[in-house]
Amino acid sequence: MDVPVDSIEASSRTALYPAIQPYATGHLEVSELHSIYWEESGNSDGQPVVFLHGGPGAGTSGGNRRFFDPEFYRIILFDQRGAGKSLPHACLDENTTWDLVKDIEKLRKHLAIDKWLVFGGSWGSTLALAYSESHPEQVAGIVLRGIFMLRKKEIDWFYQYGCSAIFPDAWEAYRDFIPEEERNDFVGAYHRRLNDDNINVQLAASKAWTNWELATSYLLPNEDSLKRGEDDRFSLAFARIENHYFVNKGFFPSDSFLLDNVDRIRHIPAVIVQGRYDVICPMMSAWDLHKAWPEANFKVISNAGHSANEKGTTAELVSACEFFKHSSC
């Protein structure tokens, strides 16, 4: 059922925690080419939780720590290959879903963690499902938001036609960047430009790609979100890595791979949070996951879009992490 903001139980905390700083940071070499930035904050002896960021290519930020009680959780953030502070920046070589799954395991072992709570939204939900289905014995619980399983109909909805009918104004800049004769495949057309030998072509394409997503992330327009697109470094990694994964169909062996393997994790306690008016990762995917995984606690936020930073969604995500404080996690 839809969950309006005012229906959340008063006994459960729903507000973000105050901003904190990490007590440990580092770079972990995960291949001869890639090293990933990681950090720890909160309680060094607490329940480990790993935050899986979106995109792929978006990287982490300090605000991501605030979903978790720092007195209870050992909060682990890391930037996936090519994103954020990880090196080399915006690199597509040796950058696949299965490389990232291996990286998560390498980080878990590097930090001497047995089991952890896995938290991911948007692409982070994709990666959380792929990791958890591959290593269910290492997962104590799962919190997902804005479900994205990288199926063809999901990519087509946002990047080819569908969301364009709801945001025709924002769509025009994304559409018009590509010549009319190439518009039968926007993802492919952007791929050619995001991998052009001319960095200026890459940057222009990355801005158009990134701004389309930022313009549609909230139910109501958010100027702070749009400003992120002005950062060349952010846009380049975000667009290049996202597009690389989408062109390669997430590196999954089949379109419904994550759904087909959900039985591997149905025994794990989980919460799924979905904005009713999420136009980037529309609710059809969360609904499909809910039907395949009825044991998971399914929360639909009646007044939210895609972003984790919308009031109702934030409240449910914090509440979910509070729930796991009192479970067997």
Side-chain angles (χ1 to χ4, degrees):
M1 62 181 293
D2 286 14
V3 182
V5 175
D6 58 5
S7 75
I8 298 169
E9 295 180 8
S11 60
S12 175
R13 181 187 176 103
T14 60
L16 291 170
Y17 282 89
I20 57 172
Q21 296 302 312
Y23 60 77
T25 65
H27 275 81
L28 177 65
E29 291 189 6
V30 291
S31 77
E32 293 184 0
L33 177 61
H34 288 275
S35 69
I36 59 170
Y37 167 81
W38 61 267
E39 65 169 56
E40 292 185 274
S41 58
N43 181 351
S44 60
D45 296 317
Q47 164 64 42
V49 55
V50 60
F51 179 96
L52 304 181
H53 68 68
T60 58
S61 67
N64 301 147
R65 308 174 194 127
R66 299 184 62 195
F67 292 103
F68 313 104
D69 181 349
E71 294 185 5
F72 180 85
Y73 283 109
R74 179 183 175 188
I75 306 161
I76 296 110
L77 274 57
F78 77 97
D79 291 333
Q80 297 157 28
R81 294 189 182 202
K85 299 176 184 177
S86 291
L87 299 170
H89 179 255
C91 179
L92 306 183
D93 295 333
E94 299 178 18
N95 197 338
T96 75
T97 302
W98 305 114
D99 289 319
L100 302 187
V101 167
K102 291 176 183 176
D103 293 350
I104 297 170
E105 268 298 274
K106 289 175 182 177
L107 182 60
R108 182 186 66 80
K109 293 174 181 176
H110 177 72
L111 298 176
I113 290 168
D114 179 24
K115 300 176 75 170
W116 48 10
L117 177 65
V118 177
F119 181 112
S122 193
W123 158 257
S125 76
T126 320
L127 185 56
L129 289 168
Y131 171 76
S132 299
E133 290 176 2
S134 299
H135 300 281
E137 64 280 0
Q138 262 65 65
V139 179
I142 304 172
V143 179
L144 304 176
R145 186 268 312 166
I147 302 304
F148 179 47
M149 293 183 285
L150 228 152
R151 297 174 295 176
K152 184 179 185 300
K153 65 181 181 180
E154 298 172 52
I155 299 297
D156 287 349
W157 158 265
F158 190 68
Y159 292 103
Q160 192 61 39
Y161 180 76
C163 187
S164 57
I166 302 172
F167 284 91
D169 44 355
W171 173 258
E172 281 192 359
Y174 169 86
R175 180 198 65 197
D176 292 351
F177 186 79
I178 302 300
E180 191 168 354
E181 61 270 17
E182 295 183 62
R183 292 179 189 172
N184 64 315
D185 178 12
F186 281 104
V187 173
Y190 270 95
H191 181 74
R192 290 186 286 276
R193 290 157 177 82
L194 290 166
N195 291 275
D196 195 275
D197 291 338
N198 187 330
I199 186 62
N200 291 323
V201 173
Q202 290 188 31
L203 286 170
S206 70
K207 287 290 185 68
W209 177 281
T210 300
N211 286 335
W212 165 236
E213 184 161 337
L214 296 180
T216 54
S217 291
Y218 285 76
L219 180 61
L220 300 177
N222 183 285
E223 292 301 320
D224 290 337
S225 175
L226 292 171
K227 288 178 182 178
R228 296 184 74 192
E230 299 172 5
D231 184 334
D232 286 351
R233 181 178 172 83
F234 170 80
S235 292
L236 189 65
F238 185 76
R240 274 174 53 83
I241 298 172
E242 266 200 347
N243 179 273
H244 166 67
Y245 274 70
F246 299 166
V247 162
N248 287 286
K249 302 176 182 178
F251 303 93
F252 294 123
S254 66
D255 193 54
S256 58
F257 180 81
L258 295 175
L259 272 181
D260 292 344
N261 287 277
V262 77
D263 283 352
R264 293 179 55 81
I265 58 173
R266 284 178 60 183
H267 64 286
I268 300 174
V271 178
I272 300 169
V273 178
Q274 178 69 36
R276 167 68 74 180
Y277 300 107
D278 186 339
V279 298
I280 295 177
C281 299
M283 189 176 145
M284 63 179 176
S285 297
W287 187 253
D288 289 345
L289 183 61
H290 164 60
K291 299 296 283 188
W293 191 3
E295 297 84 0
N297 191 352
F298 184 47
K299 301 284 189 177
V300 179
I301 313 305
S302 63
N303 53 359
H306 180 69
S307 175
N309 299 316
E310 292 177 282
K311 186 176 180 181
T313 302
T314 297
E316 283 293 346
L317 291 172
V318 173
S319 180
C321 296
E322 294 295 294
F323 163 78
F324 279 108
K325 285 168 54 177
H326 306 291
S327 73
S328 58
C329 175

